[in-house]
Amino acid sequence: MKLEGSCHCRKVNFQIDSKHPYPFNLCYCSICMKTAGGGGYAINLGGDFSSLKVSGGRSISIYKATRSNGTGLSECERRFCKHCGSALWVWDKRWPMLIHPFASAIDTPLPLPPSRTHLMLSSKQDWVEPEIRELDWKFEEYPLESIEEWHKKYDLEK
């Protein structure tokens, strides 16, 4: 599925091919909450890095978060618009073929997931009340299942 996205001020626009476009992974970690979360969480999708096309690249900045265990900077590079602050995507040199756009930056209509995965619940703020539905999965930390594996489990690869 071709995904098109942008920042709020529209100075950055991008396209990416995604076999994993269902917005199911709600991350409550402190990094997602502070950098991209509106409801105390952020949602990442999966995409093919080699298909990424960007216009307005000069408006993009990179943020590398400090690891929660205090051992330096994360390998993950979070891209955001330096003008409006919109979170765009995450890229990690350990998996250079993947890119994880934030669902909030995607302009293309996204499919409704059959279930959701709430992860890093141990990090959520007290004011956040997760809406956990009957078919949803809950994890205090990270699940072992990847975005790709979740899509395969439900036969949802596009």
Side-chain angles (χ1 to χ4, degrees), residues 7 17 53 75 89 97-99 117 127 138 141 153:
C7 64
D17 293 332
K53 295 180 181 132
E75 289 84 1
W89 65 80
M97 71 298 269
L98 301 174
I99 189 168
T117 298
W127 60 266
K138 302 183 300 187
E141 299 296 324
K153 174 173 70 177

Side-chain angles (χ1 to χ4, degrees), residues 3-148:
L3 301 178
E4 295 184 0
S6 63
C7 64
H8 186 259
C9 70
R10 302 279 182 189
K11 290 186 177 174
V12 178
N13 294 278
F14 64 94
Q15 291 181 351
I16 190 157
D17 293 332
S18 175
K19 289 193 241 177
H20 312 118
Y22 281 77
F24 77 96
N25 235 354
L26 285 70
C27 182
Y28 295 85
C29 80
S30 63
I31 300 167
C32 284
M33 182 192 67
K34 292 283 189 178
T35 63
Y41 58 84
I43 302 172
N44 288 333
L45 307 171
D48 175 11
F49 182 79
S50 68
S51 70
L52 179 64
K53 295 180 181 132
V54 178
S55 65
R58 289 186 177 164
S59 294
I60 295 174
S61 286
I62 297 172
Y63 175 67
K64 285 186 152 193
T66 302
R67 291 192 189 110
S68 58
N69 63 8
T71 60
L73 295 179
S74 168
E75 289 84 1
C76 293
E77 296 180 358
R78 294 167 182 274
R79 301 297 206 280
F80 66 95
C81 175
K82 65 183 177 182
H83 301 287
C84 67
S86 296
L88 301 169
W89 65 80
V90 176
W91 179 82
D92 191 319
K93 66 181 176 184
R94 296 171 293 180
W95 299 280
M97 71 298 269
L98 301 174
I99 189 168
H100 298 288
F102 288 100
S104 57
I106 300 300
D107 300 320
T108 305
L110 295 172
L112 187 65
S115 75
R116 300 173 306 166
T117 298
H118 300 263
L119 58 107
M120 297 300 292
L121 284 165
S122 63
S123 297
K124 82 166 187 58
Q125 296 293 306
D126 291 339
W127 60 266
V128 175
E129 295 183 47
E131 181 187 330
I132 299 174
R133 301 174 186 156
E134 184 179 343
L135 299 176
D136 287 358
W137 298 86
K138 302 183 300 187
F139 297 91
E140 291 300 305
E141 299 296 324
Y142 287 105
L144 296 177
E145 183 177 65
S146 70
I147 291 174
E148 178 181 18

